[in-house]
Amino acid sequence: MSHPQSYEILLVPGFAEDTTDAPGPGGVIRSAVVSATGETGASGYPRYSGEGIVADIDPATRSVEALLVDGAELSYGLSARVRERDTGTGADS
């Protein structure tokens, strides 16, 4: 199975039931582009890393199964959302 080579992780305040919805204006606290490392994380899902964030992402559901931000677990009150990156054109939408 082929997995996306990169995602954008968006850290937003509050709990998000559906992590695929776009955050509201001004809602993103931090974003980072993570790229596939070729490894499988402890969660059993492909591992992605970049810009201080390490995430295990289920490519079938685009769910973040494990996440470290600057080496620490995600702070309470924050949620992670995933956006697939368009790498075909060299530009993001």
Side-chain angles (χ1 to χ4, degrees), residues 3-5 7 34-49 53-59 66-68:
H3 304 296
Q5 291 303 300
Y7 288 102
V34 294
S35 298
T37 65
E39 301 172 350
T40 299
S43 66
Y45 292 99
R47 176 154 291 166
Y48 294 79
S49 179
I53 293 181
V54 178
D56 296 356
I57 299 174
D58 177 351
L67 181 74
L68 292 176

Side-chain angles (χ1 to χ4, degrees), residues 7-42:
Y7 288 102
E8 183 175 19
I9 302 284
L10 307 172
L11 301 182
V12 298
F15 175 75
E17 185 74 28
D18 180 359
T19 59
T20 60
D21 288 341
V28 176
I29 293 173
R30 180 173 173 178
S31 68
V33 174
V34 294
S35 298
T37 65
E39 301 172 350
T40 299

